[in-house]
Amino acid sequence: MRKTAAIFMMIIFMAAVGCKSSVKINTIPAGAKVYIDGEYRGETPYVQTDSKSFLSNTTLRLTKDGYNDFTTPLVKDQFSASACCGGVLFLVPFLWIMDYSPEKTYEMKAKENK
């Protein structure tokens, strides 16, 4: 009984560790408004953490007065060894095998005066 409970707890721990991923979003210049999937989240520098699988789509939009808006997909682009090990051992977290890079920096382009 204790062995089963220990295995169950280990599975939950491995799944939780493999699920969360964070990225620090920077802009040049700093202070741009951050929208994730259309929802305002704060200003840069900003740390985005989520538990989406690498198959999910996340849209990042950055806005700042005097600068062109910038929209890009936020992609999990770094291999996660811990999630891979968990996937091999428990055949569960393969959907979380990718993480965000620790940091991404985007340069905002100033609007042209006409």
Side-chain angles (χ1 to χ4, degrees):
M1 182 71 162
R2 285 186 180 190
K3 189 175 183 179
T4 304
I7 290 171
F8 180 72
M9 293 300 287
M10 199 159 113
I11 289 171
I12 289 173
F13 175 76
M14 289 296 288
V17 168
C19 294
K20 293 233 181 227
S21 182
S22 297
V23 58
K24 182 178 180 186
I25 299 168
N26 299 303
T27 55
I28 301 171
K33 292 181 179 178
V34 177
Y35 296 86
I36 304 290
D37 292 333
E39 182 181 323
Y40 176 74
R41 297 292 182 92
E43 293 186 357
T44 60
Y46 176 79
V47 176
Q48 166 65 12
T49 301
D50 65 42
S51 57
K52 293 181 175 181
S53 76
F54 75 94
L55 300 173
S56 299
N57 295 321
T58 301
T59 302
L60 169 67
R61 184 168 57 100
L62 303 167
T63 64
K64 185 168 178 72
D65 290 340
Y67 292 85
N68 294 321
D69 290 356
F70 183 81
T71 303
T72 187
L74 195 54
V75 179
K76 292 189 175 187
D77 55 0
Q78 196 168 46
F79 178 74
S80 172
S82 63
C84 183
C85 290
V88 169
L89 292 173
F90 303 111
L91 304 174
V92 176
F94 275 117
L95 293 176
W96 293 274
I97 200 162
M98 300 296 285
D99 286 334
Y100 293 118
S101 298
E103 227 171 300
K104 293 184 185 277
T105 302
Y106 302 96
E107 187 168 353
M108 307 287 292
K109 296 193 186 237
K111 289 183 179 178
E112 293 181 20
N113 293 329
K114 291 186 180 182

